[in-house]
């Protein structure tokens, strides 16, 4: 029942070899049992049965997904599942909107919920499959019990004939989609194939609130943000001069960021809210990622990119020192070669691969990650064995607070406190491995992010998460402490000392600084359990200003491009989009 109350992580993944199946862990059985305990008594079929219509009807059934209860309508006619409708759910919209059509198609095709779950949407898939099984049982059909590990029949391995195209893109996240679009916009006749190992597209980008580093935007102009609308390219170059990127890459980066807003708007993607500097959301109450990624996916499809999900890039094909294709394996366990004039690798980082973290960034493997499950560094060893230049492999970006047990980023309030179960104030100023050690050293490894109504009003992400029920709330500090499982007396004492220091302008002993302001004298107050997490691996293969991959001696690897977090890059989301676009444009321009 505790799983029903707190929810569970959407994916559990260990190690570096997906092989189109999840690594099974012992927790899966426990989760399946807990989810069964969560289920409600199913409703009776929504139409009355007669002997002539036995086993036919529309069944109102429930499942338990990542966010809680899911309500579905399952239509069964003459022992056949003919339709599945998702009435409502509490799933993350950017996941369920992509995953539900896939799991529905699989179930209808098999006439059974005993099918593979949608990768990157395991819990959502489980909820749908369990609900369909319930409907089948009510209709008198035979079906096995559904668990978290239920999958379709094992498919025998087979070798398919090789295919040929002009450009193949490996990775369907922000950078890969931008690469495919850039290629088709440069050469509409180019045959472009994009492969993505997961069953849904858009990687981490679809979850992102902020799209930063973008300049010369309509939103900045409307906000009067002159720093990034007047002499903006020069200002951008200056701001990145110490980033560690080459001067040539920074110049390309600046010019591309200068044009990016117009490029996105031409696809119908509007980022209308600039909340200081280069930070953008779609609107003041809408994340940027969901809008950007939906636009990129639609544009790639409209341009005729051949998109193949459930297809993993395994290795490069070389002719001497030139790259001439990529080896892939799909969900049907078919392996085949895709020969191409140009290959673009955009597979992301390796935050989800603890083995690679332990090798390249020792110590960081102890932390969880904010990433979706696809960031496993699939091509790191491929790059190394072929003698490609790698850089900054131990450089990490750690996000201070993600929600436990969810992976959602939190933070951003104008003021917050970090406390442990005893209600004691923790130092909120440290980061990286020091922060991880501090949090893990607390009782039960628990730390809590606490803010007030002023903090709630100051940042949209908190307002959204409170509205979704992720935070505990209390009209008083005591009520909040009880809801969080924190010692009320200890928490009250910590806040009184913190407020006294704020009002006196005195340095707080724990924080080592003067508090910016006191906590509101009256509630409501908000709190959630958090932990620091690996957010980005900054190192990777080295690419030049044209997004061409380099050998260790600095020469260009002919036929190979790379973009996004798979490369060494100092920026983030928008830089991944920018150099994906650059890779696609340059690859298409070089076609024979």
């Amino acid at each position: 029942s505790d799983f029903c109350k707190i929810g569970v992580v959407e994916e559990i993944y260990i190690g570096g070899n997906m092989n189109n199946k999840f690594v099974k862990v012992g927790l899966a059985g426990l989760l399946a049992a807990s989810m069964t305990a969560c289920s409600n008594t199913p409703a009776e079929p929504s139409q009355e049965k007669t002997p002539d219509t036995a086993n036919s009807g529309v069944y109102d059934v429930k499942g338990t997904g990542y966010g809680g209860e899911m309500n579905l309508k399952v239509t069964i006619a003459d022992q056949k599942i003919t339709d599945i409708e998702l009435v409502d759910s509490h799933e993350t919209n950017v996941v369920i909107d992509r995953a539900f059509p896939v799991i529905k198609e699989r179930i209808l095709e098999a006439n059974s919920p005993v099918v593979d779950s949608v990768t990157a949407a395991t819990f959502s898939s489980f909820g749908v499959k369990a609900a369909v099984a319930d409907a089948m049982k009510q209709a008198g059909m035979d079906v096995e019990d559904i668990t978290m590990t239920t999958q379709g029949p094992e498919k025998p391995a087979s070798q398919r004939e090789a295919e040929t195209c002009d450009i193949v893109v490996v990775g369907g996240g922000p950078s890969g989609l931008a690469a495919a679009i850039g290629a088709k916009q440069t050469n509409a006749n180019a045959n472009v194939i994009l492969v993505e190992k997961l069953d849904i597209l858009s990687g981490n980008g679809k979850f992102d609130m902020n799209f930063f580093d973008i300049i010369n935007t309509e939103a900045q102009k409307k906000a009067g943000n002159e720093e990034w609308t007047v002499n903006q390219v020069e200002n951008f170059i200056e701001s990145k001069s110490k980033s560690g990127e080459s001067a040539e890459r920074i110049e390309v980066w600046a010019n591309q960021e200068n044009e990016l807003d117009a490029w996105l708007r031409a696809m119908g993607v509007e980022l209308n809210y600039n909340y200081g500097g280069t930070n953008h959301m779609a609107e003041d109450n809408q994340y940027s990622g969901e809008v950007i990624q939906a636009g990129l996916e639609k544009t790639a499809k409209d341009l005729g990119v051949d998109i193949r999900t459930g297809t993993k890039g395994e290795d490069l094909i070389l002719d001497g020192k030139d790259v001439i294709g990529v080896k892939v394996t799909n969900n049907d366990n078919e392996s085949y070669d895709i020969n191409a004039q140009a290959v673009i690798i955009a597979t992301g980082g390796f935050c989800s691969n603890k083995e690679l973290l332990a090798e390249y960034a020792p110590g960081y493997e102890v932390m969880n990650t904010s990433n979706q499950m696809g960031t496993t560094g699939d091509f790191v060893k491929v790059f190394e064995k072929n003698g490609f230049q790698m850089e900054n492999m131990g450089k990490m970006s750690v996000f201070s607070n993600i929600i436990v047990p969810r992976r959602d980023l939190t933070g951003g309030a104008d003021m917050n406190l970090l406390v442990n179960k005893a209600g004691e104030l923790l130092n909120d100023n440290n980061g990286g491995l020091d922060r991880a050690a501090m949090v893990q050293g607390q009782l039960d490894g628990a730390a809590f992010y606490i803010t007030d109504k002023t903090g709630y009003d100051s940042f949209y992400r908190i307002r959204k998460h409170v509205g979704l029920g992720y935070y505990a709330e209390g009209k008083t500090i005591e009520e909040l402490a009880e809801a969080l499982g924190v010692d009320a007396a200890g928490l009250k004492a910590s806040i009184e000392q913190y407020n006294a220091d704020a009002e006196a302008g005195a340095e707080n002993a724990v924080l080592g600084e003067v508090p910016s302001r006191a906590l509101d004298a009256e509630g409501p107050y908000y709190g959630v359990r958090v932990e620091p997490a690996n957010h980005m691996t900054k190192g990777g293969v080295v690419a030049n200003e044209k997004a061409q991959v380099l050998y260790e001696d600095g020469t260009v690897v002919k036929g190979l491009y790379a973009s996004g977090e798979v490369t060494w890059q100092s920026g983030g989301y928008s830089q991944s989009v920018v150099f994906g676009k650059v890779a696609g444009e340059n690859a298409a321009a070089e076609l024979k």
Side-chain angles (χ1 to χ4, degrees):
S1 61
D2 287 342
F3 283 103
C4 307
K5 296 174 185 175
I6 66 172
V8 285
V9 292
E10 171 72 353
E11 301 288 357
I12 305 166
Y13 178 63
I14 301 172
N17 182 14
M18 290 179 62
N19 195 25
N20 300 312
K21 301 290 179 186
F22 298 111
V23 177
K24 310 299 189 301
V25 293
L27 184 58
L30 173 61
L31 295 176
S34 300
M35 290 302 175
T36 301
C38 293
S39 62
N40 297 313
T41 303
E44 291 297 319
S46 57
Q47 68 183 57
E48 186 176 340
K49 297 296 180 190
T50 70
D52 293 336
T53 61
N55 302 327
S56 298
V58 180
Y59 294 82
D60 295 313
V61 287
K62 299 180 186 297
T64 304
Y66 181 44
E69 185 176 274
M70 308 169 70
N71 292 293
L72 298 95
K73 289 184 181 291
V74 179
T75 303
I76 296 176
D78 299 325
Q79 300 280 302
K80 185 171 180 62
I81 307 164
T82 59
D83 192 27
I84 307 168
E85 177 188 354
L86 181 63
V87 179
D88 60 64
S89 75
H90 301 281
E91 306 302 272
T92 307
N93 68 299
V94 295
V95 173
I96 195 65
D97 290 350
R98 290 169 170 82
F100 179 72
V102 178
I103 194 66
K104 175 181 176 179
E105 180 180 4
R106 289 177 182 176
I107 292 171
L108 293 179
E109 183 178 343
N111 196 39
S112 168
V114 184
V115 296
D116 289 347
S117 291
V118 177
T119 47
T122 308
F123 270 89
S124 301
S125 299
F126 168 77
V128 173
K129 293 194 292 186
V132 171
D134 188 359
M136 292 175 66
K137 290 176 182 177
Q138 290 187 55
M141 298 173 67
D142 292 331
V143 62
E144 67 180 62
D145 290 336
I146 301 298
T147 71
M148 287 293 297
T149 58
T150 296
Q151 58 187 19
E154 190 72 26
K155 300 177 179 70
S158 63
Q159 186 71 34
R160 217 169 86 181
E161 287 188 6
E163 298 187 29
T164 299
C165 67
D166 295 314
I167 299 170
V168 58
V169 181
V170 184
S175 201
L177 286 165
I181 292 167
K184 289 293 287 185
Q185 289 177 338
T186 302
N187 185 339
N189 295 321
N191 179 4
V192 179
I193 295 175
L194 181 148
V195 298
E196 164 57 50
K197 68 181 178 183
L198 301 181
D199 293 323
I200 59 178
L201 296 170
S202 281
N204 292 326
K206 58 182 174 287
F207 300 106
D208 280 0
M209 182 192 79
N210 186 17
F211 198 65
F212 62 93
D213 277 339
I214 187 171
I215 58 178
N216 191 33
T217 71
E218 295 301 315
Q220 286 169 331
K221 294 172 185 175
K222 185 176 180 180
N225 189 346
E226 290 192 358
E227 179 183 2
W228 300 113
T229 56
V230 178
N231 298 323
Q232 66 275 7
V233 172
E234 293 87 344
N235 291 343
F236 187 95
I237 291 173
E238 174 61 27
S239 72
K240 303 299 182 184
S241 61
K242 297 180 181 178
S243 66
E245 303 259 7
S246 70
E248 294 80 7
R249 268 180 65 94
I250 291 174
E251 183 177 357
V252 170
W253 185 9
N255 286 313
Q256 286 285 335
E257 293 282 8
N258 194 52
E259 301 169 358
L260 193 56
D261 185 57
W263 186 68
L264 291 171
R265 286 180 182 272
M267 302 180 202
V269 175
E270 298 186 1
L271 303 179
N272 293 324
Y273 181 54
N274 170 225
Y275 59 104
T278 65
N279 299 306
H280 290 74
M281 288 168 55
E283 303 291 346
D284 62 2
N285 61 354
Q286 186 177 30
Y287 282 16
S288 64
E290 60 189 77
V291 175
I292 293 169
Q293 294 309 127
L296 292 181
E297 289 183 30
K298 181 179 185 303
T299 301
K301 292 172 184 175
D302 290 347
L303 288 172
V305 176
D306 182 351
I307 297 175
R308 304 179 184 185
T309 54
T311 303
K312 181 185 178 186
E314 302 281 3
D315 201 354
L316 295 171
I317 304 170
L318 280 81
D319 179 11
K321 296 189 70 174
D322 300 346
V323 172
I324 59 170
V326 64
K327 294 181 177 293
V328 302
T329 303
N330 64 23
N331 281 347
D332 291 326
N333 211 7
E334 297 174 321
S335 297
Y336 60 102
D337 294 349
I338 301 177
N339 298 312
Q341 292 190 47
V343 176
I344 302 172
I345 305 296
T347 49
F350 54 93
C351 277
S352 298
N353 190 323
K354 290 186 179 295
E355 292 178 4
L356 291 183
L357 287 171
E359 180 178 352
Y360 297 108
Y364 287 91
E365 73 276 7
V366 304
M367 282 190 279
N368 289 321
T369 179
S370 61
N371 290 191
Q372 53 88 33
M373 64 172 293
T375 54
T376 51
D378 300 342
F379 274 79
V380 168
K381 294 302 181 182
V382 174
F383 295 151
E384 285 188 345
K385 77 176 183 180
N386 286 295
F388 302 156
Q389 190 177 148
M390 311 291 284
E391 193 169 355
N392 291 321
M393 292 299 288
K395 191 175 180 65
M396 299 290 298
S397 173
V398 173
F399 201 85
S400 295
N401 300 308
I402 64 169
I403 294 176
V404 178
R406 306 181 63 91
R407 294 191 302 266
D408 300 75
L409 308 182
T410 188
D414 71 322
M415 188 280 291
N416 72 276
L417 304 180
L418 191 70
V419 302
N420 60 17
K421 278 194 167 183
E424 298 166 335
L425 192 64
L426 301 177
N427 189 338
D428 200 18
N429 296 317
N430 56 4
L433 294 180
D434 289 340
R435 189 180 188 87
M438 178 188 71
V439 171
Q440 292 171 4
Q442 305 305 312
L443 178 64
D444 296 331
F448 303 88
Y449 180 100
I450 291 174
T451 193
D452 53 18
K453 184 62 164 57
T454 302
Y456 169 92
D457 290 335
S458 71
F459 197 58
Y460 173 67
R461 183 183 282 148
I462 294 176
R463 298 197 298 275
K464 177 178 179 177
H465 289 167
V466 169
L468 290 170
Y470 300 169
Y471 278 64
E473 301 180 49
K475 294 180 181 178
T476 65
I477 293 298
E478 290 82 0
E479 280 188 13
L480 179 64
E482 181 179 0
L484 290 173
V486 169
D487 180 76
L491 180 59
K492 188 173 182 181
S494 293
I495 290 175
E496 286 176 351
Q497 182 62 58
Y498 180 89
N499 284 350
D501 291 339
E503 291 164 3
E507 183 178 284
N508 181 272
V510 176
L511 298 182
E513 65 182 18
V514 177
S516 59
R517 68 170 177 84
L519 207 69
D520 290 348
E522 296 182 356
Y525 304 102
Y526 309 92
V528 66
R529 183 172 174 176
V530 296
E531 65 181 354
N534 293 318
H535 189 53
M536 290 183 68
T537 49
K538 303 299 290 182
V541 71
V542 175
N544 65 16
E545 69 277 9
K546 292 184 177 181
Q548 295 168 306
V549 173
L550 305 180
Y551 277 108
E552 290 175 346
D553 63 5
T555 59
V556 169
V557 181
K558 187 176 178 182
L560 183 62
Y561 300 78
S563 59
E565 202 176 332
V566 75
T567 67
W568 145 237
Q569 64 175 30
S570 60
Y573 188 1
S574 70
Q575 189 182 13
S576 294
V577 172
V578 158
F579 277 99
K581 178 171 174 282
V582 168
E585 290 171 345
N586 284 307
E590 292 293 322
L591 290 178
K592 296 178 181 177

